[in-house]
Each structure stands twice: as C-alpha cells, then as structure tokens.
C-alpha cells in the first residue's frame, strides 16, 4: 500500500486548507466520481473510494493531525505492512462524517436523499412547447400595422386517439414497476453506507404508464405534426428584430395541458426613402443651390403621404428640420415619434462655358456680407498665424 496518493492532492487542496474548504472540495470530487453518475466505470469507482478515504481522514481533526505528522502510517496501521488495505484502519467511517453532507451532494441528482424528496406526477397536465418562426414585412407595414396569414408547423392532439396514445377501445395501463410514479428507488451499498436514490423507471421511460396497443396514426405519442395557416395582427410601431407572441398557437399540451405559443420574429425590409431610429424617422431631400439661396416650397415624403414644406432663404447644406408627430406610432398607442428631414444642397456640375461665365459674374458681385461663415473663418485664420 506504499503507492497511496497524498490526501490533500486527492482533494485538490493545500495542506493548510480550512474545514469548509475540505468539505467543499470533497463534495465537488464526490459528485464527479460517484458510481451512479459513472456506471460501469471502474476508474471512477476507484477515484470515489480514494476521495472518500481522504475526506474521512482530513475532516477529523485528530486523524488529520496524525496524518500531517506521520503520513499514511499515522492513520492506517496496515499501511506498508502488506495487510488488508482499503478502509480497514478507519473504524467504519464513523468519525467526522455527517450524513447530511451526502444528502446535500445527491439531492440535486436524485430528488432527495433517502427517497424522501418531492416527486412530480408524470401524468400531470403540462403546457406544450413554443414554436418559433420569422416573418418579413415592409417598412410601411411595420409603421402602420397590418394583418398577415402565416403557416405554422406544430404538434396537435392526435385526432384518432385524442392524446391517449392507444388504439380506439384501449387505455394506457399503470406501470407495474413504478406503480405510476415514473421513478423507482434503488438501494446501493457504498463505503459510506447504503444510499437510497431515485431513478427514472426503465420499463415505462418515466411516464408512469405503459401502452400495449399503440395508436397507429401517432405511434403512441398522442400528438401529430400538422401545418396550419393562421392570421395574425401586427401592431403599428413594431420594429425589426422584435418578437410577436401569439398565445395558444404553439405545440399542444400533454395530458390535457394548454398549448404553447407561436413566437414570430419580425424582420422589416429596408426602405429606399426612410430610415428609422426608435419611433423617429429620418430622410433626405435634395434642393438646388438656387432653392437654398432664395428659399422655396418642396415636397417632403412622410409615411402618411406627401407634405409641402417651405425652405427658408439662405438654408445651409445639411440643415435638419423637424416634422412633429410624423414619425412612427408608439406600440402602446400613445403618440408618435417625429420625422427629421435633412436638406441636401446639390452643387451644380457639367456647366457649359456660358453657365460658368454667369456663375463667375454672380460670384464677383457678392461680398463677405452675403456669407455667414466665410468672413469669420478668415478672421480666425489671420489671428492664428499672427500669434
């Protein structure tokens, strides 16, 4: 037995570890190597015994002190003497082990230590699962709201057996192995004593019932796959990427439970005129140099149609104006966003010689008083270089 690993190494802790650290490390390693979680794995079984042995010693202050001073020989009189090793030198794991520790470890896996955990009824009504799909709509449809007919692939209660899974004239039978609970209690002997755990019944697969005469239409599942067309209302103001939940249009429930929902992800096609940010809409309107200089009336597109807008004389490039209440309807139905219009002043191109001459004469007729920023800009340059 001279090849035993260091107990601190087994638990993955330092020699000066506290009692809480030892207990925490033991729980982690016991979960990892427990035979119930590693059926048929001899190496895991060996490691579990090694972990249990290390915890038995290090969790007992007196044994730990002897181990720290004399090593394995201080806690196992058979160590190195060719005697029966294993756990004979520990007095049956009595010292320092609290049975509640083991209950904490396995409760999350087996529904309670000793079979006393709360069991759910495998035949209780359960809600059906949701179905997920996507739908692409136009920009104006998202802003204004619309109705759409969509196809949904979902599960419905089998019309032949009405969800029982049995042929007509037959009924499911209570599983004789688990008496309808869907679980069985298994007693297992371990170095720590007998552990009672709950497992899914292998005979009925955890359903609690056995179907001897399965329905041919649904193959005993009680549900069939169908494709349905339904009409949905898409509210005004819905945005790209948002999900619309249609209640009760998902997969049918089990054992009489309610149906799930249909979750429809809305995708909005980009628009050539408008861009959206929240409930506000943005667009650009091109105007000529002449229109920007003298002012004019232009047609501005909105989601409600065309509106006339008076462009002020002397409008500068990229001037942004606001049209209140011309944005998107808010989903809660209270108010709308705004529309922001950017005036894009186009510089004329492809001028012929006559046009160039006229433009030059016009430019020469102007002075600094005709420009808002030019005079101030050159004054700043002059001041900068005179510093």
């Amino acid at each position: 037995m001279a090849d035993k690993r260091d107990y601190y190494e087994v638990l993955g802790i330092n020699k000066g570890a506290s009692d809480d650290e030892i207990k925490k490390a033991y729980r982690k390693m016991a979960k990892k190597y427990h035979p119930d979680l590693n059926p048929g794995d001899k190496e895991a079984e060996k490691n579990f015994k090694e972990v249990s042995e290390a915890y038995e010693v290090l969790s007992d202050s007196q044994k730990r002190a002897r181990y720290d001073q004399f090593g394995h020989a201080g806690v196992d009189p058979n160590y190195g003497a060719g005697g029966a090793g294993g756990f004979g030198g520990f007095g049956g794991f009595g010292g320092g082990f609290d049975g509640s520790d083991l209950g904490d470890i396995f409760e999350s896996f087996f529904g309670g230590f000793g079979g006393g955990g709360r069991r759910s009824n495998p035949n209780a009504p359960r809600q059906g699962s949701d179905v997920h799909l996507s739908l692409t709509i136009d920009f104006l449809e998202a802003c204004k709201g619309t109705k759409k007919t969509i196809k949904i692939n979902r599960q419905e209660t089998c019309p032949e057996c009405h969800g029982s899974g049995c042929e007509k004239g037959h009924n499911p039978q209570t599983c004789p192995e688990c008496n309808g609970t869907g679980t069985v209690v298994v007693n297992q002997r371990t170095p720590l004593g007998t552990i009672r755990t709950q497992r899914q019944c292998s005979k009925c697969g955890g359903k609690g019932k056995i179907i001897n005469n399965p329905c041919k239409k649904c193959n005993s599942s009680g549900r069939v796959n169908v494709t349905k067309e339904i009409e949905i209302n898409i509210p005004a103001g819905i945005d790209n990427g948002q999900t619309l939940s249609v209640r009760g249009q998902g997969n049918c429930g089990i054992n009489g439970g309610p149906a799930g929902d249909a979750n429809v992800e809305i995708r909005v096609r980009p628009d050539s005129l408008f861009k959206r940010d929240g409930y506000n809409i943005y667009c650009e309107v091109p105007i000529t140099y002449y229109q920007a200089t003298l002012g004019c009336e232009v047609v501005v597109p909105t989601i409600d149609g065309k509106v006339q807008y008076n462009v002020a004389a002397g409008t500068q490039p990229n001037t942004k104006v606001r049209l209140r209440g011309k944005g998107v309807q808010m989903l809660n139905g209270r108010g709308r966003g705004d529309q922001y219009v950017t005036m894009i002043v186009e510089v004329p191109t492809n001028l012929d010689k006559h046009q160039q001459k006229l433009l030059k004469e016009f430019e020469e007729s102007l002075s600094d008083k005709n420009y808002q920023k030019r005079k101030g800009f050159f004054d700043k340059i002059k001041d900068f270089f005179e510093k």
Side-chain angles (χ1 to χ4, degrees):
M1 301 298 292
D3 58 346
K4 280 189 177 182
R5 293 170 58 201
D6 179 77
Y7 287 150
Y8 292 102
E9 179 186 347
V10 170
L11 296 181
I13 56 178
N14 296 322
K15 190 171 183 179
S18 65
D19 292 342
D20 287 340
E21 289 174 331
I22 293 173
K23 181 179 291 187
K24 183 178 180 180
Y26 167 66
R27 290 180 176 180
K28 178 181 178 181
M29 303 301 284
K31 286 181 181 180
K32 181 178 180 180
Y33 294 120
H34 192 273
D36 285 341
L37 303 179
N38 303 274
D41 189 337
K42 297 298 184 182
E43 186 66 23
E45 183 178 355
K46 175 184 176 183
N47 290 335
F48 180 74
K49 292 180 179 180
E50 192 175 41
V51 167
S52 301
E53 179 181 342
Y55 179 71
E56 166 62 19
V57 172
L58 299 183
S59 63
D60 185 296
S61 59
Q62 294 182 355
K63 291 181 180 180
R64 182 181 180 182
R66 293 199 302 270
Y67 176 75
D68 289 344
Q69 185 174 5
F70 302 108
H72 292 290
V75 292
D76 185 356
N78 295 316
Y79 179 75
F87 302 99
F90 300 122
F93 289 92
F97 179 76
D98 182 359
S100 63
D101 294 340
L102 196 60
D104 292 340
I105 293 173
F106 303 115
E107 184 171 4
S108 60
F109 293 99
F110 308 110
F113 181 64
R118 184 178 179 181
R119 302 174 185 173
S120 60
N121 182 1
N123 297 304
R126 285 186 290 163
Q127 183 172 358
S129 59
D130 296 342
V131 296
H132 302 271
L133 62 157
S134 63
L135 174 67
T136 301
I137 61 176
D138 292 331
F139 184 88
L140 286 180
E141 289 177 325
C143 295
K144 295 290 191 176
T146 186
K147 289 185 178 181
K148 291 287 184 179
T149 299
I150 60 174
K151 289 184 178 181
I152 294 181
N153 297 318
R154 68 186 185 192
Q155 292 181 322
E156 292 188 352
T157 301
C158 176
E160 293 293 326
C161 66
H162 304 290
S164 71
C166 297
E167 285 187 342
K168 289 183 179 180
H170 297 274
N171 293 307
Q173 304 298 312
T174 301
C175 176
E177 189 75 21
C178 65
N179 295 320
T181 64
T183 59
V184 293
V185 177
V186 179
N187 294 325
Q188 182 175 4
R189 294 183 61 82
T190 73
L192 304 177
T194 300
I195 299 176
R196 300 184 66 201
T197 59
Q198 292 183 26
R199 294 182 181 175
Q200 184 184 81
C201 177
S202 59
K203 189 173 184 65
C204 66
K207 297 179 180 179
K209 292 182 178 180
I210 294 177
I211 297 176
N212 295 316
N213 303 94
C215 172
K216 294 182 175 60
K217 186 172 183 65
C218 65
N219 195 27
S220 79
S221 68
R223 300 188 290 180
V224 291
N225 294 321
V226 298
T227 299
K228 289 283 187 177
E229 286 191 349
I230 64 171
E231 186 178 68
I232 61 173
N233 292 314
I234 300 175
I238 198 164
D239 205 352
N240 183 60
Q242 291 183 325
T243 298
L244 183 66
S245 184
V246 187
R247 302 296 182 191
Q249 294 295 341
N251 293 318
C252 67
I254 300 174
N255 300 325
D261 302 329
N263 296 319
V264 185
E265 181 186 359
I266 301 299
R267 298 175 181 174
V268 182
R269 294 187 185 94
D271 190 83
S272 60
L273 286 176
F274 304 112
K275 295 187 183 300
R276 178 177 173 181
D277 184 8
Y279 294 110
N280 294 327
I281 288 178
Y282 296 82
C283 75
E284 296 178 346
V285 173
I287 59 176
T288 67
Y289 176 76
Y290 172 83
Q291 290 173 318
T293 303
L294 300 183
C296 66
E297 186 176 78
V298 295
V299 175
V300 176
T302 73
I303 61 174
D304 299 318
K306 300 176 182 178
V307 299
Q308 299 291 327
Y309 181 80
N310 290 317
V311 178
T315 293
Q316 300 300 305
N318 298 320
T319 295
K320 186 179 292 184
V321 298
R322 178 183 183 184
L323 304 181
R324 293 183 180 274
K326 291 297 183 180
V328 182
Q329 169 92 31
M330 296 183 182
L331 271 176
N332 60 13
R334 297 180 180 179
R336 293 174 58 172
D338 301 322
Q339 178 169 328
Y340 293 89
V341 183
T342 302
M343 299 298 172
I344 305 298
V345 180
E346 283 198 278
V347 177
T349 60
N350 303 316
L351 300 180
D352 58 30
K353 290 184 178 181
H354 178 65
Q355 292 170 327
Q356 293 175 14
K357 179 181 178 183
L358 292 175
L359 186 60
K360 183 178 180 181
E361 291 176 354
F362 173 70
E363 174 66 20
E364 290 173 347
S365 70
L366 301 175
S367 64
D368 288 343
K369 69 178 183 179
N370 298 116
Y371 295 99
Q372 297 179 5
K373 299 181 180 180
R374 185 175 179 181
K375 183 177 185 301
F377 175 73
F378 285 111
D379 287 341
K380 291 178 182 178
I381 291 179
K382 181 179 178 182
D383 292 341
F384 177 80
F385 286 106
E386 288 180 353
K387 289 181 179 179

